[in-house]
């Protein structure tokens, strides 16, 4: 499964950690608005 944010494969460890997640770690942080403010 690929990240819906950047189209890159999501690490299996992350998929296992968060079931149903459709974003990679970076995109998830951006989505949650945590600390990825410097992305853009
Ligand atoms: Zn991503």
């Amino acid at each position: 499964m690929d990240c819906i944010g950047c189209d890159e494969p999501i690490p299996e460890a992350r998929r296992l950690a968060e079931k149903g997640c459709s974003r990679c770690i970076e995109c998830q942080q951006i989505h949650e608005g945590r600390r990825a403010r410097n992305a853009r």
Side-chain angles (χ1 to χ4, degrees), residues 3-8 23-28:
C3 167
I4 64 175
C6 60
D7 273 346
E8 288 190 27
R23 292 180 179 86
C24 67
I25 297 174
E26 290 187 22
C27 291
Q28 183 64 40

